[in-house]
Amino acid sequence: MHPDTGERLYRSGDLGRWLPDGTIEFLGRDDFQIKIRGQRIELPEIEHTARTHPEVKHAIADVFERGGQQSLVLFAVPHSEGADISHEKLAAEENDFAEGGVEITDPAERLLFKMQRLGIRQFDSGSNDEVQLSPAAALAGWKSQRVFQQQPVSLTQFSRFLGLLACRQIGESPKYDYGSAGGLYPVQCYLHVKRNRVEGVEEGFYYYDPVRHALVALEAGPLDEDIHYSHNREAAASAGFSVFLVGDLEAIVPLYGAFGRDMCLLEAGAMAQLLRSRAGEFGIGVCQLGDLSTDPIIKACRLGERHAFLASLIGGGIEPREEAAVASTPTKNTEDFRSRLKAYLQEQLPSYMIPARIVSLPELPLTANGKVDRALLRQRAETVEATPAAQAVPPANEIESVIAAELQTLLGVSEVQVTDNFFDIGATSALLVKLYHRICQRLEQSFALINVFQHPSVRSLADFIGTQGDGDKPSRSASKARAQKRLQRLKSSSSKA
């Protein structure tokens, strides 16, 4: 209550400062309530509703400005399908093995165990075909990719790429270009190469021997791309080969006990990072993928209970220009996810709370303090809005061209889709009134303002105007005649007065 008047006071959430002249300057709000088109909107309510969708893991709603118009944008991180099941399975496998293993504590026995080099898989002499690789090289560079050339990668390129994982020194103390707990190097590298995608390498599964720098053939044949979850299948289909990092628990648990698999995960992360950061030097791009169905890989690579699947990557040949294309062009799976999420929000929220754009991200950017970096998200929204759609539909006739041009000018954008809803792309009622007057002036045609709201897209409005024919289009002489009549009526009224 007000201490002097006794009137009720409200904590509005507005921030302000009291100036010396007695006025209060509004500075903003201390919460996430915003006002767009006269409607007060709680951004957390949009975020909460989005997170109730089964495909959404994280969601952040915000406001961005374009051409002086404010619009809602939603940043959504989709779930990795089946992730929980996969991790539970791996954890169960780890616990089963750790419970049955015996940790070696005697220093001499530990050294003897290390010298066995159990992380290098052994095969009976002559039991498997081999592809001898050309010498490994150590170069430098960076590339990350989800779209790949369909031409085959040369054996030299492929050999140097895998050479990043090669053993640099053979003996009691092996050396690699990445670290490993206790120098054990229990993480093994398996691959599947597609048909005609690596010169001199037949389609099938292989084990990469880092000591002999050779591929050991395991099983011929294709890899079913359905092992990947839907959001990764398009990228996997484009790739020329897959890399699977697998920990041999018998090569580390005796020294590290229940922490053995954790050590394997750290090593696999270092290996994956090395491949990602250096692949571009050899004209190869790679992309690390999330969870996948591992059963076909386990069977083809002849893995057992002692093995723990850790990570997977896809790769292939690349060109520099492809990087920009991948960054700016959303995949069909991404578009489908955004469409489904928007339809869900339209069922749950009032129309004024529906985001004009939904941006799908693999993860949310964080500040140094671990908070969501909203400034970086706003920059991403501006980039997405400035990028034309992958399959733009141009205006089909003169009327559509006029409407589209005027709408672009009012919104301050370089392109609009003829099928986009006016309100979805940031238009307001006031802006549509301006659009109406501009269209009438440009086309020299009159129609009721309400029709702009009843036909809220370039195409539908153009179709409506096109059906009006010339009957509603006033001629210049007719307009001039009506103006002269109005002037005469004014003069007559003035003389009578």
Side-chain angles (χ1 to χ4, degrees):
M1 305 297 289
H2 193 283
D4 296 331
T5 65
E7 295 176 303
R8 183 182 297 275
L9 299 177
Y10 296 90
R11 186 183 300 275
S12 67
D14 297 318
L15 293 176
R17 61 178 178 176
W18 205 322
L19 300 180
D21 63 358
T23 60
I24 298 176
E25 181 181 4
F26 177 69
L27 299 177
R29 296 185 59 81
D30 63 355
D31 58 12
F32 292 104
Q33 184 185 92
I34 51 98
K35 189 174 183 180
I36 294 182
R37 303 169 198 160
Q39 300 284 354
R40 290 195 177 273
I41 298 173
E42 294 283 352
L43 295 179
E45 183 177 351
I46 301 175
E47 297 168 357
H48 172 74
T49 303
R51 284 194 291 267
T52 61
H53 189 282
E55 294 183 70
V56 177
K57 182 178 181 181
H58 301 298
I60 293 292
D62 211 333
V63 178
F64 70 99
E65 285 196 21
R66 186 183 60 180
Q69 302 292 327
Q70 286 189 325
S71 297
L72 288 171
V73 60
L74 179 71
F75 302 92
V77 178
H79 271 298
S80 294
E81 301 174 40
D84 294 338
I85 296 176
S86 177
H87 287 304
E88 288 174 3
K89 180 180 178 181
L90 290 175
E93 292 174 354
E94 173 195 347
N95 291 336
D96 290 344
F97 184 83
E99 289 174 2
V102 179
E103 183 176 353
I104 300 173
T105 57
D106 182 81
E109 291 184 7
R110 290 174 71 90
L111 178 59
L112 182 61
F113 180 86
K114 288 185 179 183
M115 294 176 63
Q116 295 180 51
R117 306 291 308 283
L118 294 177
I120 304 300
R121 187 166 181 179
Q122 303 296 327
F123 296 87
D124 295 332
S125 179
S127 63
N128 297 87
D129 295 330
E130 295 185 356
V131 177
Q132 188 60 48
L133 302 173
S134 57
L139 303 174
W142 168 264
K143 197 66 152 179
S144 183
Q145 215 64 40
R146 286 180 69 89
V147 175
F148 307 91
Q149 288 182 310
Q150 299 305 296
Q151 294 88 346
V153 173
S154 72
L155 184 59
T156 299
Q157 288 176 283
F158 198 55
S159 300
R160 291 178 176 176
F161 167 69
L162 289 179
L164 295 170
L165 306 181
C167 181
R168 302 299 182 187
Q169 179 180 334
I170 301 175
E172 294 183 3
S173 181
K175 299 296 182 183
Y176 291 75
D177 286 344
Y178 56 93
S180 177
L184 296 172
Y185 293 96
V187 179
Q188 302 168 342
C189 176
Y190 295 84
L191 302 100
H192 179 269
V193 179
K194 291 184 180 179
R195 185 171 178 266
N196 296 329
R197 297 301 294 274
V198 178
E199 293 178 354
V201 181
E202 297 295 326
E203 183 175 47
F205 291 86
Y206 296 85
Y207 166 70
Y208 171 67
D209 187 329
V211 174
R212 300 178 60 245
H213 188 46
L215 291 178
V216 181
L218 298 175
E219 181 176 295
L223 172 65
D224 188 355
E225 291 170 358
D226 286 343
I227 65 169
H228 296 283
Y229 294 108
S230 59
H231 55 278
N232 285 328
R233 286 174 188 163
E234 187 172 355
S238 173
F241 60 87
S242 299
V243 178
F244 309 113
L245 302 180
V246 177
D248 188 337
L249 297 181
E250 286 189 2
I252 191 169
V253 167
L255 298 192
Y256 285 88
F259 295 101
R261 186 172 179 276
D262 293 337
M263 298 299 102
C264 287
L265 282 170
L266 291 174
E267 183 175 329
M271 295 168 71
Q273 179 65 12
L274 179 61
L275 293 176
R276 291 179 65 243
S277 63
R278 301 280 304 277
E281 303 168 19
F282 318 111
I284 290 176
V286 296
C287 176
Q288 189 168 353
L289 300 184
D291 295 306
L292 71 165
S293 177
T294 60
D295 290 343
I297 302 168
I298 291 173
K299 180 179 179 182
C301 295
R302 309 170 197 171
L303 305 178
E305 293 183 357
R306 62 186 285 175
H307 296 101
F309 197 96
L310 305 172
S312 66
L313 303 93
I314 56 174
I318 56 170
E319 289 183 357
R321 67 174 181 270
E322 290 176 347
E323 186 169 3
V326 174
S328 60
T329 304
T331 64
K332 182 178 184 299
N333 290 328
T334 300
E335 293 288 358
D336 290 344
F337 165 71
R338 294 191 298 191
S339 298
R340 290 192 297 270
L341 179 55
K342 188 161 190 175
Y344 176 79
L345 294 176
Q346 288 172 336
E347 295 176 354
Q348 306 294 324
L349 297 171
S351 59
Y352 62 85
M353 295 181 68
I354 305 301
R357 283 291 185 271
I358 295 177
V359 180
S360 178
L361 299 174
E363 58 185 12
L364 294 176
L366 303 178
T367 64
N369 296 327
K371 297 182 179 180
V372 176
D373 193 336
R374 289 180 176 267
L376 192 59
L377 286 176
R378 293 188 187 103
Q379 293 178 12
R380 176 63 190 271
E382 292 173 1
T383 302
V384 171
E385 290 304 306
T387 303
Q391 296 180 342
V393 180
N397 52 53
E398 182 181 356
I399 299 178
E400 287 189 3
S401 298
V402 169
I403 299 173
E406 295 299 337
L407 185 59
Q408 288 167 201
T409 301
L410 291 171
L411 288 173
V413 297
S414 59
E415 185 176 7
V416 295
Q417 296 296 298
V418 297
T419 55
D420 279 347
N421 185 286
F422 293 150
F423 294 103
D424 286 347
I425 58 178
T428 63
S429 298
L431 185 142
L432 292 186
V433 173
K434 295 180 181 179
L435 176 65
Y436 165 75
H437 289 297
R438 290 189 176 209
I439 293 173
C440 291
Q441 185 177 10
R442 284 280 304 274
L443 297 178
E444 297 184 359
Q445 186 167 342
S446 178
F447 59 92
L449 172 61
I450 189 62
N451 290 295
V452 177
F453 295 86
Q454 292 176 340
H455 305 279
S457 73
V458 172
R459 177 142 296 170
S460 62
L461 182 57
D463 289 343
F464 165 77
I465 295 174
T467 61
Q468 299 305 295
D470 295 332
D472 292 339
K473 184 174 180 179
S475 64
R476 293 183 182 272
S477 59
S479 299
K480 185 177 180 179
R482 285 196 295 270
Q484 289 176 343
K485 287 183 179 180
R486 286 195 297 270
L487 183 59
Q488 290 176 356
R489 284 198 297 269
L490 287 172
K491 288 181 178 180
S492 176
S493 300
S494 176
S495 61
K496 289 180 180 179

